[in-house]
Amino acid sequence: MATVEVRQPDIVIRGRKVVGGVAEGEALVTQQTISGWGGVDPMRGEVIESHHELRGQSFAGKILVFPGAKGSSGWSGVFHMTRLTNKAPLGMLFNITTTKAALGAVVLRVPALTDFDIDPLEHIETGDRVRIDADKGEVWVWKLRV
Amino acid sequence: MVKLSDDERAMLDGRDGAAVQKAMELLVRYAEALDAEDFVYTNNVAGVPGSSPQWVKEYYAADGGDYRAVFSRFDLDSDEVVDVPRMNAFSCHLQGGMDPSMWQDQGMTEQAFANFRNDEAEVAAHGIQVLKTCTPYLAGNVPVMGEHCAWMESSAVVFCNSVIGGRTNCEGRESTSAAMLANRIPNFGFHRDEFRKGQHRVRVDVPVDSIFEWGMLGYFTGGAVEDTIPVLDGAISQQSLIRHKHFGAAAASSGGVEMYHMVGITPEAPSMEAAFGGASRGETFVYGQAERRAVYERLNSIGSNTDVDYVMLGCPHYSIEQIAEAARLIEGRKVNANAELWIFTSRAVKATAEASGYGDIFRAAGAKLMTDTCSAISQAVPKGTRVAALDSAKQVHYLPAMMGIEGWYGTTAECIDAACSGKWRGSLR
């Protein structure tokens, strides 16, 4: 029988489940909170807020790592629309639990975690490979650059 | 796991029909995402239930492509389409996408208007009040102290929590639509006493006594405290509904403030100690002359061309007091041939404005009194707009960035002067 060799992750982060499930993909990390309505274009899954460090970048198919949600109450609705346009993130890791971020993750139906033992924003960089097992409350991180 | 009462369990088991069951399923997923212990009962819900642009209906074409499909699949995030009955909670529709009669001036198509009219008929048929405003508290829905609400619209949320002492989180479309059916919302955040205490102090050293000054202080406060709860004290005076409305909207857009305390002014802040729930904590931010000037300059940093071709008033929607003031300022004058003046309010307030003769004054001046929406929500500005003048810190925060135009912030009088002269002559005095 063939065996699949899995490289041990460089870092393991533990957190609280927001939405269950497993997802693996490339990380897109921002140190800045994200606005939904007026801050994200749901047609392109792209951050459009003026002065945002992710402006012009798409989170479609990525693991979005961010401090939390801000701005209009249209946050969940805009992220929900990215599910319809196939521009949704694969998973979400955020530090601050607000109604906006929690409801957004719920209706996106993507694995999501919060309340971490160590800060993902300090340990995950854009381009790292990340596996979220939200049911186990674990994030595995393989660094792009060690 | 969120604790359920017998009633909530029965709703989840389908006692009250499939729509209530799906609503409860979504609310349980949401409560668990928040790590909420249980639910609170609410009978005051404000959202945007089921309203959607045509492309969303087309996305659900296989499910019927109608209001029922959108409400089931999008609002309740249900995998099945269910029959949607009349709402159980007292429910209100907030702002919408266009003016119900002047939609052509706003550049809307016949098809978009037909979709709008159809959604509105469905909203009414489902027992939802057609308030069509970001200021439900000026159009027939005024919560009372301690009332548990489930509201969308950040400027209404901050008003409800801070000025009234009602209790709501900044809810989203799906949670409010579900709450309309299930009369429940997670017991999290602002529903809980311990969450409503101040986290930082803002000491006001310059006189803040007009709506213009209250707006700038709000914009400063949001920038300073971000999404935490500020406690303001010092030289704040002349409190009134419209000043709180402007302050809260500005603080919610520059920082995400969902509740604030003003010592001796707001109901949960009879003293500094009461506002903080003990000793003062967090940081102290000072609002003095330098900060005031910096806020003014920041709000005016996207304007360089003084040829104004659009003036928008009514963010958040104007109260009757503000409409009376605008009418007084423009009576006997004319909007410049190169400019447009649009004033936004709710349908309820517009009816009062018409009865009071202000509609005639605006029409004689060439200004348009519109309802339901605003330029940011509808993404509608007069054709060819390059430079807008606004008396709302919130609108100047959003509109120029969204529409790729320049924007000026000033007093209502400066904005009306700009509408009549076509020139921006505002300044900080």
Side-chain angles (χ1 to χ4, degrees), chain A residues 16-19 37-38 43 50 69-74 76-77 80-81 83-85 96-100 102-103 106-107 109 115, chain B residues 26 29-30 32-35 55-56 59-60 74 77-79 152-154 169-175 188 258 376-377 398 401-402:
Chain A
R16 179 179 73 75
K17 178 178 84 172
V18 175
V19 175
W37 183 86
M43 297 305 182
S50 332
K70 69 168 174 184
S72 156
S73 59
S76 64
H80 195 164
M81 279 187 184
R83 210 178 103 201
L84 275 54
T85 58
I96 307 159
T97 301
T98 56
T99 47
K100 289 166 202 158
L103 184 61
V106 164
V107 298
R109 302 191 183 186
D115 297 341
Chain B
L26 175 61
R29 287 160 58 201
Y30 176 41
E32 293 191 338
L34 290 167
D35 203 20
W55 75 265
V56 173
Y59 179 84
Y60 295 116
F74 195 91
D77 192 28
S78 162
D79 289 330
M152 285 183 76
E153 174 48 42
S154 62
N169 290 308
C170 196
E171 292 297 341
R173 170 174 177 150
E174 301 85 352
S175 58
F188 172 87
E258 295 175 10
I377 288 286
Y398 280 115
M402 290 176 79

Side-chain angles (χ1 to χ4, degrees), chain B residues 71-117:
Chain B
F71 199 97
S72 301
R73 299 290 314 277
F74 195 91
D75 289 64
L76 299 180
D77 192 28
S78 162
D79 289 330
E80 299 155 48
V81 177
V82 295
D83 286 329
V84 183
R86 288 176 74 87
M87 299 301 150
N88 293 307
F90 172 56
S91 303
C92 300
H93 195 297
L94 296 166
Q95 63 267 31
M98 67 186 76
D99 184 276
S101 57
M102 285 177 267
W103 50 274
Q104 279 169 316
D105 294 320
Q106 294 174 337
M108 303 297 170
T109 63
E110 291 274 359
Q111 192 203 20
F113 176 63
N115 176 57
F116 159 91
R117 207 165 45 180

Side-chain angles (χ1 to χ4, degrees), chain A residues 34-56:
Chain A
I34 295 179
S35 278
W37 183 86
V40 161
D41 177 356
M43 297 305 182
R44 291 176 292 158
E46 194 177 295
V47 174
I48 54 167
E49 185 183 347
S50 332
H51 313 304
H52 200 284
E53 64 184 15
L54 290 188
R55 187 184 162 105

